[in-house]
Amino acid sequence: MIIGLLSLRGGVGRSVLSRALAQKFSAPVYELEVGLPKLWPAEEKEKEVVWGRLSRFKREKCDLCGDCVKQCQFGALSLEGETIKHRGPFCHGCGLCKEICPKKAIELKEYQVGEIVYGTTDGIELFAGRLLRRTPLEGTVIKKLKERFPLPSRAILKAPCGLHGEALSGLKEAEALILVTQPWDRLTEEIKLFGELTQGLGLGGMVIVNQVREEVSVASWCTAYGLFYAGEIPYLPGFQGDLLKAWPEGEAFWDRVRQHLEGGK
């Protein structure tokens, strides 16, 4: 089974849970948070550069007609006084500005935008990517990662933060989604959004509440939105990264997660 891990915000333990699930399911982890990856192989075995197209502006040819500014839907170009300002970090490399420019003042050029890697950390197989330039080309890096290292029948996909857009773009192959969260003032709202998301996608959804100091009451909310509530992982003082070792009392929790995901509810 291919499992996708999501969260509405960062710092809730997706990386830790990804590693624990990889150990429990004997599955590799795909780090899709390429803008700021937290998981990277300690031992790199294969590595490749990712190239992407970005626009390059030739100011000496520009006559300030502004056609490119009107055409760009990403805000990468703007007319400011007597110049066209080009914002590289907003460029998606679509090429529409190049096609419409009457003076041929814009060209598309191949740049090294990221890298992908395969390796291991503590016996866990990791496939990861990261951006090397300030661009919105996360999708280009993720696509290259999956093309170079095709998904096996079992895999853990760690998505970026968020419950839409970029966070979901790399989860097309997921057969089940897990929301990883922590106690906070918008927890029930987060569960509601996740429930609506899984229903819309027609996928099974599971909720795990991490770093719990006091009991939380969200089981009824999960049931209301057709979600399976796996339970809570307690706050573990001095925790160093290996959840299975740090929480040996959690065997029943992991059995419950496995049974549900494998269809043995």
Side-chain angles (χ1 to χ4, degrees):
M1 171 174 279
I2 298 177
I3 303 166
L5 267 66
L6 291 151
S7 67
L8 189 61
R9 59 193 183 123
V12 299
R14 278 169 301 129
S15 298
V16 170
L17 265 294
S18 294
R19 291 184 55 176
L21 287 168
Q23 291 172 283
K24 281 294 180 182
F25 282 84
S26 299
V29 176
Y30 281 70
E31 170 63 278
L32 305 182
E33 195 166 10
V34 299
L36 189 64
K38 297 289 183 63
L39 296 175
W40 199 261
E43 181 183 349
E44 298 180 359
K45 297 184 177 181
E46 295 184 47
K47 198 172 188 178
E48 286 189 16
V49 168
V50 179
W51 297 87
R53 296 192 319 167
L54 296 171
S55 62
R56 183 182 178 187
F57 194 65
K58 300 178 181 179
R59 301 185 188 281
E60 67 277 6
K61 291 187 176 183
C62 178
D63 66 356
L64 300 176
C65 70
D67 288 350
C68 60
V69 175
K70 298 173 186 175
Q71 188 69 33
C72 183
Q73 58 184 312
F74 304 110
L77 297 165
S78 62
L79 180 59
E80 299 184 10
E82 295 298 315
T83 186
I84 298 287
K85 187 171 183 179
H86 180 249
R87 299 181 179 88
F90 292 90
C91 178
H92 284 64
C94 66
L96 292 178
C97 57
K98 173 181 179 293
E99 296 301 320
I100 203 170
C101 180
K103 297 296 184 179
K104 307 299 181 185
I106 301 174
E107 64 179 4
L108 290 179
K109 185 178 178 181
E110 290 284 325
Y111 290 93
Q112 182 178 332
V113 297
E115 61 183 359
I116 56 174
V117 66
Y118 159 65
T120 59
T121 296
D122 298 329
I124 299 172
E125 285 191 302
L126 286 175
F127 299 89
R130 63 182 167 199
L131 288 171
L132 298 178
R133 299 176 65 95
R134 289 183 59 206
T135 75
L137 299 184
E138 291 92 344
T140 299
V141 177
I142 292 172
K143 180 180 178 182
K144 181 65 176 179
L145 178 68
K146 291 181 180 179
E147 287 178 350
R148 178 63 184 83
F149 306 112
L151 293 173
S153 58
R154 282 178 177 247
I156 311 299
L157 307 181
K158 183 201 157 202
C161 295
L163 300 182
H164 51 75
E166 177 193 330
L168 299 179
S169 63
L171 298 180
K172 293 179 290 186
E173 303 88 352
E175 300 167 271
L177 298 177
I178 297 178
L179 174 69
V180 183
T181 185
Q182 291 180 357
W184 67 310
D185 57 0
R186 295 181 61 191
L187 179 56
T188 53
E189 180 183 346
E190 184 179 19
I191 290 172
K192 177 178 180 291
L193 290 172
F194 181 62
E196 293 171 348
L197 169 66
T198 55
Q199 289 175 12
L201 295 175
L203 294 175
M206 176 184 293
V207 175
I208 295 175
V209 183
N210 191 26
Q211 295 194 21
V212 176
R213 296 173 184 261
E214 298 180 3
E215 185 177 354
V216 294
S217 300
V218 296
S220 60
W221 278 83
C222 293
T223 301
Y225 288 98
L227 302 169
F228 176 74
Y229 183 49
E232 306 164 3
I233 298 175
Y235 171 71
L236 302 169
F239 175 61
Q240 294 296 318
D242 190 328
L243 184 57
L244 301 187
K245 290 182 179 179
W247 188 38
E249 304 85 359
E251 200 58 42
F253 169 86
W254 294 115
D255 287 344
R256 190 161 61 248
V257 170
R258 175 189 287 276
Q259 289 171 11
H260 181 81
L261 290 174
E262 293 184 345
K265 305 181 200 179

